[in-house]
Amino acid sequence: MNKFQDLDILRKTDLTVEEVKRHPAFAKLPDNQIEDIIITIKKITEIAFNCNVKSKKSFGKIPKNP
């Protein structure tokens, strides 16, 4: 059984507190801490996405200061 089979990697909605609380590691956390976790995940995802975009734009270009 694939533990990722129900994973929607192309989702268009934000992660919810209820979804996070379904995971045993986060089930007992208060909602405000889970909201902070969600914000952190979004920021890390945005940083990774922007880094990937910048990397693709500069792919194959010679660095200005080698």
Side-chain angles (χ1 to χ4, degrees):
M1 183 171 151
N2 184 351
K3 68 179 181 177
F4 299 112
Q5 73 187 31
D6 295 328
L7 183 62
D8 180 10
I9 62 170
L10 300 175
R11 69 186 288 158
K12 302 280 190 238
T13 58
D14 287 345
L15 193 59
T16 65
V17 171
E18 292 77 23
E19 288 175 303
V20 176
K21 278 194 166 192
R22 279 190 235 140
H23 191 282
F26 304 109
K28 295 181 180 179
L29 291 178
D31 289 359
N32 64 334
Q33 284 185 340
I34 293 177
E35 289 169 357
D36 289 342
I37 290 168
I38 292 170
I39 290 169
T40 302
I41 291 169
K42 286 177 71 173
K43 286 183 181 182
I44 290 171
T45 303
E46 287 175 11
I47 291 168
F49 179 80
N50 289 336
C51 183
N52 185 36
V53 169
K54 288 180 181 180
S55 175
K56 284 184 178 183
K57 284 182 181 178
S58 64
F59 184 70
K61 294 182 181 176
I62 299 172
K64 292 180 181 178
N65 297 319

